[in-house]
Amino acid sequence: MSKLRVGVYGAAGYTAGELIRILLNHPNAEVVCAQSSSQAGQKISSTHTDLIGDTELLFDAELDFDQIDVLFLCKGHGESRTFLADTKVPSEVRIIDLSNDFRLKAPGNDFIYGLPELNHEAIKSARKVANPGCFATCIQVGLLPAARAGIIKSEIHTTGITGSTGAGQSLSTTSHFSWREGNMSVYKAFTHQHLSEIGESLTQESGEEQVINFVPFRGNFTRGIIVTSYFESEISQKQAYDIYRDYYKDHSFTHVVDQNPDLKMVVNTNKALVYVQKEGNKLLVISIIDNLLKGASGQAVQNMNLMFGLEESAGLKLKASNF
């Protein structure tokens, strides 16, 4: 088949840069339009400097829908909804939105929630996909098997630490190097915006609402998320492993491991690693991802592959490093 023609709307940010990096090396896709109002006419590699020598493409001021098979929306939260309300996108152009605008079920929302571990078959026939949030992805891969199996017997207590790229490219007080280096802080305790989509997914799997007490941290590293969740459960550790491994046996990127994982095992990959440990009457689940890949751009390409019937791992066989 001919290569998929890809357009990127809002192509100057972190997630767009990672998306373009993946797509430049994708065997079945070609970036034909990278829109950026602020950088129009400039080389993509002048903003995404890791792409020097990889592409001579320029940022475009506008999108040309006649040249696009699939459109990735990489603008900030709220901007995708405005763009789609103001822009007539041809029905044959498939859309993958990386913002939070369409992740929640609502009347008139025709986007499929794009967590492959949850909605694998529905994504294959979708014309519009809402890519999950980074914390939401990491937390859900740690909890979905337990929710489906009905083994959660208490409230869920979750803690997660994310790298500075999770805050996006725009500067804020807490994203400066001088603030982040050697520092950590709690933010949005019990109120994080990803809780709603996590709740919908857990209800989808379990048939009932789950109470999640989530405390997120800002970490003093660039990329990656590590999450710990625990809850009361009557099953043994072996039973837990069997449940988790069975749930993920047909999924390309999520792996249940038998060693306590660390971030360097997933950074710069599209992998999610999950580890379970039973202590007394509590089951501890550790899940880790790269927030820019499995938590954003890599998962978006994974969804594109599913939507167009490509090998799910096409363009995503990325390697981590121990160094």
Side-chain angles (χ1 to χ4, degrees):
M1 64 176 290
S2 58
K3 288 191 174 184
L4 295 174
R5 301 168 300 168
V6 177
V8 181
Y9 178 67
Y14 282 143
T15 55
E18 287 293 89
L19 180 63
I20 294 168
R21 177 171 71 91
I22 296 167
L23 292 170
L24 287 174
N25 295 286
H26 196 293
N28 308 110
E30 177 186 9
V31 179
V32 298
C33 184
Q35 185 277 340
S36 171
S37 300
S38 63
Q39 303 298 318
Q42 302 298 311
K43 283 187 175 182
I44 289 175
S45 59
S46 67
T47 295
H48 304 303
T49 54
D50 58 317
L51 300 181
I52 291 173
D54 294 333
T55 181
E56 295 298 317
L57 284 171
L58 306 180
F59 288 109
D60 298 291
E62 304 290 340
L63 293 164
D64 183 355
F65 293 119
D66 291 335
Q67 301 298 318
I68 296 172
D69 298 309
V70 57
L71 176 63
F72 291 89
L73 303 180
C74 296
K75 286 278 195 175
H77 303 311
E79 296 189 51
S80 293
R81 188 177 297 276
T82 299
F83 170 79
L84 292 176
D86 296 342
T87 307
K88 184 171 177 56
V89 179
S91 59
E92 63 270 18
V93 175
R94 301 195 193 186
I95 297 171
I96 300 173
D97 180 30
L98 280 80
S99 80
N100 67 6
D101 290 11
F102 299 101
R103 292 171 185 163
L104 301 181
K105 295 180 175 67
N109 180 8
D110 56 353
F111 280 72
I112 297 297
Y113 186 65
L115 185 66
E117 290 77 4
L118 177 70
N119 290 324
H120 195 268
E121 294 306 309
I123 293 166
K124 288 182 179 180
S125 58
R127 302 205 66 81
K128 299 177 183 177
V129 164
N131 218 53
C134 52
F135 258 134
T137 296
C138 197
I139 292 170
Q140 286 176 96
V141 296
L143 294 176
L144 288 174
R148 178 185 285 182
I151 62 173
I152 300 171
K153 301 302 180 182
S154 69
E155 294 184 355
I156 302 164
H157 299 275
T158 299
T159 299
I161 307 173
T162 185
S164 58
T165 51
Q169 199 166 36
S170 299
L171 288 177
S172 64
T173 302
T174 57
S175 64
H176 283 284
F177 174 82
S178 57
W179 189 91
R180 284 265 182 170
E181 176 61 15
N183 200 12
M184 288 183 65
S185 69
V186 171
Y187 73 108
K188 298 181 181 178
F190 309 117
T191 64
H192 196 278
Q193 65 272 16
H194 291 176
L195 280 170
S196 295
E197 59 185 283
I198 296 167
E200 284 193 352
S201 297
L202 294 182
T203 299
Q204 178 178 327
E205 288 296 73
S206 69
E208 57 187 19
E209 291 187 9
Q210 305 289 339
V211 178
I212 310 172
N213 303 291
F214 176 39
V215 180
F217 284 79
R218 301 180 180 95
N220 66 337
F221 49 91
T222 303
R223 57 196 296 166
I225 293 177
I226 182 165
V227 163
T228 62
S229 297
Y230 70 89
F231 48 85
E232 293 181 7
S233 185
E234 300 164 353
I235 66 168
S236 68
Q237 180 156 324
K238 182 183 182 306
Q239 289 172 318
Y241 264 106
D242 289 343
I243 287 168
Y244 273 72
R245 285 178 171 148
D246 181 67
Y247 190 98
Y248 290 123
K249 68 180 185 296
D250 296 322
H251 293 281
S252 302
F253 293 104
T254 299
H255 307 282
V256 182
V257 297
D258 57 7
Q259 65 183 94
N260 191 343
D262 59 78
L263 281 180
K264 285 189 176 180
M265 296 165 71
V266 298
V267 167
N268 293 318
T269 80
N270 197 55
K271 296 176 184 177
L273 300 186
V274 181
Y275 172 79
V276 296
Q277 179 178 323
K278 188 71 185 294
E279 293 290 343
N281 69 337
K282 294 181 176 61
L283 187 67
L284 171 69
V285 185
I286 300 173
S287 49
I288 60 172
I289 64 168
D290 183 311
N291 59 293
L292 291 179
L293 289 172
K294 182 58 175 167
S297 303
Q299 186 152 254
V301 172
Q302 185 181 353
N303 282 320
M304 180 192 77
N305 291 341
L306 289 171
M307 292 168 79
F308 286 91
L310 305 175
E311 180 186 356
E312 188 172 357
S313 60
L316 292 168
K317 295 176 181 177
L318 310 169
K319 299 295 185 183
S321 172
N322 289 323
F323 303 101

